[in-house]
Amino acid sequence: MTKVSEAPKARLERPVHPAPKEGRRLPFIVEFYGSAVAKKWLMAVTGIMLMGFVFAHMVGNLKLYFGEKSLNHYAEWLKEIGEPIFPRTGLLWILRFVLLGAVVVHIVSAAQLTRMNRRARPDRYQAPRDYAAATFASRTMRWTGVIVALFVVYHLMDLTWGVGGAEWTSGEVYQNIINSFERWPIAIVYIVANLALGVHLYHGGWSMFQSLGWNNGKFNDWRRMFAIGFATIVVVGNVSMPLMVVTGVVN
Amino acid sequence: MKVTLTVWRQPGPTATGKFETYEVDEVSEDMSFLELFDVLNDRLVGKGEEPVAFDHDCREGICGSCSMMINGRPHGPELGTATCQLHMRKFQDGAKITVEPWRAAAFPIVRDLVVDRSAFDRIVESGGYITAPTGSAPDGNLILIPKAVADSAMDAAQCIGCGACVAACPNGAANLFTAAKIMHLNLLPQGQPERWERVTNMVQTMERYFGSCTNHGECQTACPKEISIDFIALMNRDYIKAQFKQRRLASQRG
Ligand code: HEM
Ligand code: SF4
Ligand code: FES
């Protein structure tokens, strides 16, 4: 039994999304953000920025396999990039703030669009739906996104701020990673979070092309392959590290 | 053949609805799904009961009125088929079939399986036309249109406004309908003068009533005209371009 629904008229007069204000012009960026299609476009743009970070972060960290010196030297170099035009760690901080901004836009848009979608379907179907095209990944974007976000907070606590419970020394990147990943429960957290990221990217890495309007019969088939390829590379690279450490292959 | 129909019954917009089950026998395999309801309704009226209200008009897949969620899929299990063109031979003898109305905030239930789809009219009113002087018909080949463009515009123009895309979408989004209604004009030379206004107004009207697309792709599978989500990407592209476009340069190419 469903709850009593409103009369048709009343329902249509209460929109799921506010209409653009007539007359008064708001700053361009505010008006632009007012649209759901634009929010989705921003999610794709920020998604690409996050994908760029995720990829570079993974490639950099694979120096774990080249030994302590190599990894620590790379970590040191990150602080120097942009010198001498920027002061030491200057460019790094700029990149960090850009990334933080992207994360905020991505998550706030996702939350607002989710709310809009709930309002657009207030009464659920009363009989089971038979989905024909939606995938596990596309239907769990919100969950995999939240898992990744929570994981990132833990990951920063663990390896950047050193408050994750393992023995931690500033600058000793290699040793800090070993100390953390040697703990089975923590290795599993890292592995599960990266699998969630992979699922997120399986849909996101394809969906972003649609949101950006990059649709062309000449390359449409490649969009899904790109998503699969990118997600696989990120998952294999990131999962390998905790796996190799916890099984004692790297120590 | 014989089928067991479980149908959503709701006497009015604000009334509480519930499923009722009916055994319908002596069903011909050559009947359409709507004719099954005709038979059921005849029998209900014969017994002095209220017939099931459902929308229908052309019964040949062109008007877009027949709207039913059949076993969890809009227009039933067959691809590229409206409910009126779905035949009973597609079901097994003794099949259990559950039928429910479209569900979306913008499609309030009027009665039983009938929903009010006038939110679609609001979208079309806001830009789904071209402004052209009427009068005698212009010469046939005055405006040349590349074949690929004409084909693609025709693909989009096939939309019959049935609402299956909204019904199918887990987000209750109307992006496939709106994209079809925008792009069949925005692709053609005749649609160019109002291209940027059209996409801006129609998208913003759509967003007042419907949810936001997350690219699940359920809509194109449900669409009886098999309209592709490629048009959604093209609409997104035109919408974003329109926001950055200087309107006074709108006639310039490139
Ligand atoms: C490393 C972090 C992340 C990366 C690389 C990433 C990447 C992406 C990409 C490329 C898209 C597709 C954009 C589009 O088509 O609109 C996307 C969509 C999305 N992301 Fe993320 N994302 C990340 C983190 C998050 C977080 C933390 C959340 C939420 C808490 C989140 C929630 C979503 C949602 C809800 C969508 C829309 C899903 C859809 O299109 O169905 N993401 N993400
Ligand atoms: S796009 Fe297809 S499913 Fe949506 S209203 Fe048009 S014909 Fe119906
Ligand atoms: S009755 Fe016209 S499309 Fe089905």
Side-chain angles (χ1 to χ4, degrees), chain B residues 38-226:
Chain B
D38 293 338
V39 167
L40 170 67
N41 279 347
D42 266 355
R43 294 180 191 170
L44 286 177
V45 171
K47 286 195 284 180
E49 289 176 39
E50 275 292 320
V52 181
F54 63 96
D55 263 331
H56 61 103
D57 185 25
C58 70
R59 300 207 175 200
E60 56 177 12
I62 56 170
C63 74
S65 6
C66 53
S67 51
M68 293 183 188
M69 201 75 179
I70 303 167
N71 283 344
R73 292 230 202 159
H75 296 299
E78 285 296 298
L79 296 183
T81 309
T83 302
C84 57
Q85 297 170 299
L86 175 65
H87 288 93
M88 292 314 295
R89 57 179 165 270
K90 302 291 181 185
F91 294 90
Q92 304 265 319
D93 191 15
K96 288 188 173 20
I97 309 171
T98 307
V99 183
E100 188 173 9
W102 290 171
R103 292 197 189 270
F107 289 169
I109 296 174
V110 177
R111 185 189 181 123
D112 295 340
L113 303 175
V114 177
V115 298
D116 178 351
R117 279 168 289 186
S118 49
F120 271 6
D121 300 337
R122 301 291 91 75
I123 297 175
V124 171
E125 281 163 11
S126 69
Y129 49 79
I130 63 162
T131 309
T134 52
S136 53
D139 268 356
N141 289 325
L142 217 51
I143 301 172
L144 297 178
I145 302 170
K147 176 85 165 76
V149 172
D151 285 351
S152 191
M154 278 305 290
D155 286 347
Q158 284 195 76
C159 170
I160 55 177
C162 63
C165 43
V166 175
C169 178
N171 307 315
N175 289 49
L176 192 62
F177 166 80
T178 312
K181 293 298 175 202
I182 291 172
M183 292 318 297
H184 80 105
L185 297 174
N186 275 14
L187 291 172
L188 291 172
Q190 291 89 338
Q192 296 312 301
E194 287 151 317
R195 176 174 172 189
W196 312 111
E197 302 294 331
R198 174 179 302 113
V199 67
T200 303
N201 294 339
M202 290 179 76
V203 164
Q204 289 178 358
T205 307
M206 165 187 88
E207 291 176 351
R208 296 194 55 195
Y209 300 108
F210 295 95
S212 157
C213 176
T214 59
N215 302 314
H216 286 296
E218 283 293 330
C219 52
Q220 71 177 359
T221 317
C223 176
K225 298 297 148 189
E226 302 188 295

Side-chain angles (χ1 to χ4, degrees), chain A residues 124-130, chain B residues 6 8 19 69 71-72 98-100 103:
Chain A
R124 309 188 68 85
Y125 283 101
Q126 302 296 303
R129 276 294 319 269
D130 176 14
Chain B
T6 302
W8 186 258
F19 282 116
M69 201 75 179
N71 283 344
T98 307
V99 183
E100 188 173 9
R103 292 197 189 270

Side-chain angles (χ1 to χ4, degrees), chain A residues 43-75:
Chain A
M43 284 186 71
V45 171
T46 52
I48 290 176
M49 291 161 69
L50 295 174
M51 284 166 72
F53 165 76
V54 162
F55 187 75
H57 186 69
M58 180 204 71
V59 173
N61 290 343
L62 286 177
K63 297 198 175 35
L64 184 72
Y65 297 126
F66 297 94
E68 182 158 7
K69 236 187 166 159
S70 169
L71 185 66
N72 289 358
H73 178 257
Y74 157 69

Side-chain angles (χ1 to χ4, degrees), chain A residues 1-9 11-20 28 31-32 34-38 40-41 113 116-135 138-139 142 203 206-215 220 223, chain B residues 8 10 13-19 69 71-74 98 100-110 116 118-119 122 166-172 175 203-204 206-218 221 229-230 232-237 239-240 243-244:
Chain A
M1 232 119 314
T2 46
K3 53 182 184 299
V4 175
S5 54
E6 293 164 83
K9 277 259 161 47
R11 190 165 255 187
L12 288 183
E13 277 156 18
R14 188 171 44 77
V16 298
H17 192 271
F28 170 75
E31 285 200 351
F32 181 76
S35 144
V37 168
K40 207 61 214 295
W41 183 81
L113 293 177
M116 176 177 170
N117 294 344
R118 297 253 156 85
R119 282 200 220 129
R121 160 104 14 90
D123 301 334
R124 309 188 68 85
Y125 283 101
Q126 302 296 303
R129 276 294 319 269
D130 176 14
Y131 287 112
T135 60
S138 75
R139 299 194 54 208
R142 283 138 208 168
H203 183 67
W206 173 83
S207 167
M208 64 181 194
F209 290 105
Q210 285 287 110
S211 305
L212 294 168
W214 291 354
N215 184 298
N220 277 355
R223 301 184 305 176
Chain B
W8 186 258
Q10 182 171 331
T14 55
T16 307
K18 63 176 194 308
F19 282 116
M69 201 75 179
N71 283 344
R73 292 230 202 159
T98 307
E100 188 173 9
W102 290 171
R103 292 197 189 270
F107 289 169
I109 296 174
V110 177
D116 178 351
S118 49
R122 301 291 91 75
V166 175
C169 178
N171 307 315
N175 289 49
V203 164
Q204 289 178 358
M206 165 187 88
E207 291 176 351
R208 296 194 55 195
Y209 300 108
F210 295 95
S212 157
C213 176
T214 59
N215 302 314
H216 286 296
E218 283 293 330
T221 317
I229 56 171
D230 289 354
I232 296 180
L234 296 177
M235 171 181 78
N236 292 342
R237 176 172 164 274
Y239 180 81
I240 297 298
Q243 305 319 301
F244 289 99

